Amino acid sequence: MAAASPNLRIALRFLTSRKRAMAMSLTCITLGVGLFVITRATTSGFEGLFIRTMLGTNGAIRIEEKTQDVVGVMQADTGGPQSSNFKISNLEDRKFIHGIEEPELLMAAVRHFQNVTGVAAVLTGSRRVRNSFNEENGQVFGVELDDFLQVSDLGSQIVAGSLQSFRETPMGLLVGQVMANRLKLSPGDTVLIDADDGAVRFRVSAIYETGVNEIDRQRVYLHLAEARSLLRRPTGASLLQINLRDKDRAPADAFFISRTLGYSAISWQQRERSWLEVFRALKLSTLLTVMLFSLIAGIAMFNTLAMIAMEKTREIAILRSMGYTRRDIAAIFLWQASLVLAVGSGLGCLLGVGGTWAIATLPVRIRGIFATDTFIVAWSGWHYVEAVVMAAIMVMLASLLPARRAARLEPGDVIRGSAQ
Amino acid sequence: MPPAPDPLALRCENLHRYLGGGEGRVHVLRGVSFAARRGEVCAIVGPSGCGKSTLLYQLGLLDRPDDGQIWINGEQMSGADDGLRTAARSRHVGFVFQFHFLLLEFTALENVMLPMRKLGRLAPAAMEARATELLTAVGLGDKVRRAAAHLSGGEQQRVAVARALANEPSAILADEPTGNLDAKNSDLVFELLTSLARRNGQAVVMVTHNPEMAARCDAVRPMRDGQFIP
């Protein structure tokens, strides 16, 4: 305190002279920052879980179709001396051929992309799955387990049985939690999957749960060789699922894979666009709500500083008579705002940490687009930075007017008693 | 060898000042010229509304003239910008008003140190020593750490005198400094102000309604209708 500037000293004293108003401003800023952090943590938490779930089930990029130019280039007749020399390129006019003809070759090519960490061929087909209790529409996923584990979170989605059992059982099957419940299946049980010429019996090696209702109800994983036999597809694959080191680069990687390999590669951002838009809209609406908190904090600050500016006109005039400049007077008010902002932001961040932690322990069971039994929150330092920046903008904007008003006071007018 | 200081701490020539607007516009100062010598105490007297305080604020650069010139320590100030005028107030002028205008959130010591902190000429320890010395000189050596709000009216005005002297200004401008005090305290404050200023070679310009006090000054300048009268 010994080395503090005179303006800071005066700001501190002015602040402490209006304890109640200052406590109100401090409370508003604390709540503004704290609620901002908590809201961002909860909305980002669910969005993050959704993205992790989608990446863990369907991968960062999928290749399902081959592209073929229908009208690639059309060149004009250049025979005669009068003819023009032009050509039309129409790369958008393409034909899509479903499926992958040479999955091994394509996988080898995809592995050359720097950001790719895994690629797996998947053979899919719709088949009825039944047992003595019930029957369900199933989506057969024929996979090479080790390849598929590199492009999904299947390893961590097992809720009963084991992947080792699946690995060791040629006729093994992985079934989703919802289908297992409907067919009353446990590891070790058998089910029949319809084939073109009858039905094939498989043994449940494990039950998985992704939290995505559609997947958990329909998808059954088989060994690729058994899927080929069941679906009568001795070669090729339905799709390639790709995992990336940097998931955010998926659109760029998908673009380059498409351009380079002649297959249509779809990034997770493109595939899940609808849900991501929902989360974006949700984030926007909550952002508007929390901005209101910051606005209230700003108004409280304005109110307090405006009161101080009105009450302290004589003190301001006397400071000006002693040689304090207009800038000093403005600085005194901005210091007051900064001090309240600093303390309020610190307390708000603590409130944010405590509130986020408390909310994370709240039990809430959600299934459908992801699976969770507790409130999901995202811990990110950026939420705190955003909250403090938002509060700083509001508080500083709110303090500019009182600061300017105080700085513009003419000391002679005030002392003469003709101010205001 | 530094040049000898100007014997005139402040001076003005042909000052004009209008206050108010429209039909209520009043010509408060009508071509006033005045000079204050170092070590001399000058009283400006006259009826209320004759322009005494307005002149004092003009001389102290708290207000701008509509016409005329002001010099402080030989430096032309009437056309100077706000920054230069504020700096000149800090270095060369000390004010004592009818109401003490102390910052009540601060102690007596801190109030006296406020102008010193702004000027920044002394180290913090030296500022504190000088403020203590000034407060002791005005008889408040035992109350330096007391909050200004907890001092009596006379004591508060004595702190205001100490504060006015803090930066060793060339001129002290006092606007009815004893107007709000009882006879005993009026006497005490007047004595302190004039004796300290004379001892330090500072000019004191005092606006007062009190004829006894005016009579004790080195010079008396009566004013009427915005002008000095012979």
Side-chain angles (χ1 to χ4, degrees), chain B residues 141-163:
Chain B
D142 56 339
K143 292 178 178 174
V144 292
R145 305 277 173 194
R146 188 167 291 187
H150 297 148
L151 296 172
S152 69
E155 288 170 338
Q156 287 174 331
Q157 197 63 318
R158 281 189 271 158
V159 175
V161 169
R163 184 179 64 186

Side-chain angles (χ1 to χ4, degrees), chain B residues 10-229:
Chain B
L10 53 84
R11 179 164 71 94
C12 70
E13 273 184 17
N14 195 31
L15 275 192
H16 285 267
R17 179 68 172 126
Y18 296 85
L19 291 177
E23 289 183 1
R25 187 170 159 89
V26 181
H27 197 172
V28 181
L29 294 180
R30 299 163 182 260
V32 173
S33 297
F34 175 81
R37 292 186 170 281
R38 293 174 192 279
E40 199 174 274
V41 180
C42 178
I44 299 177
V45 296
S48 294
C50 70
K52 307 183 295 292
S53 296
T54 303
L55 173 62
L56 202 71
Y57 299 152
Q58 294 286 333
L59 294 173
L61 308 175
L62 290 178
D63 196 7
R64 283 179 183 274
D66 292 305
D67 197 11
Q69 311 291 323
I70 299 170
W71 292 264
I72 292 186
N73 257 2
E75 211 175 322
Q76 237 277 28
M77 296 309 304
S78 32
D81 64 20
D82 190 68
L84 283 173
R85 292 160 64 85
T86 307
R89 278 202 299 270
S90 180
R91 284 197 308 272
H92 302 308
V93 183
F95 289 95
V96 183
F97 299 98
Q98 181 176 0
F99 300 99
H100 54 79
F101 286 162
L102 296 181
L103 270 64
L104 297 177
E105 298 85 2
F106 289 81
T107 63
L109 186 78
E110 288 168 331
N111 266 287
V112 178
M113 286 173 75
L114 276 172
M116 290 193 268
R117 285 192 197 283
K118 178 57 203 165
L119 189 62
R121 204 156 47 190
L122 301 175
M127 284 184 205
E128 191 168 332
R130 173 159 175 74
T132 307
E133 183 190 317
L134 284 168
L135 284 168
T136 307
V138 297
L140 294 171
D142 56 339
K143 292 178 178 174
V144 292
R145 305 277 173 194
R146 188 167 291 187
H150 297 148
L151 296 172
S152 69
E155 288 170 338
Q156 287 174 331
Q157 197 63 318
R158 281 189 271 158
V159 175
V161 169
R163 184 179 64 186
L165 295 164
N167 283 344
E168 299 177 297
S170 315
I172 294 168
L173 306 179
D175 188 5
E176 301 204 39
T178 61
N180 211 31
L181 301 177
D182 57 30
K184 189 182 160 199
N185 272 307
S186 292
D187 221 39
L188 183 61
V189 167
F190 178 82
E191 271 308 314
L192 282 170
L193 188 59
T194 52
S195 61
L196 288 169
R198 278 179 181 134
R199 195 172 73 197
N200 298 327
Q202 292 157 319
V204 177
V205 181
M206 184 188 300
V207 165
T208 181
H209 276 113
N210 186 332
E212 287 174 22
M213 216 148 271
R216 290 159 67 186
C217 294
D218 301 318
V220 181
R221 300 290 306 272
M223 265 187 99
R224 186 178 295 164
D225 297 332
Q227 287 175 314
F228 284 118
I229 51 174

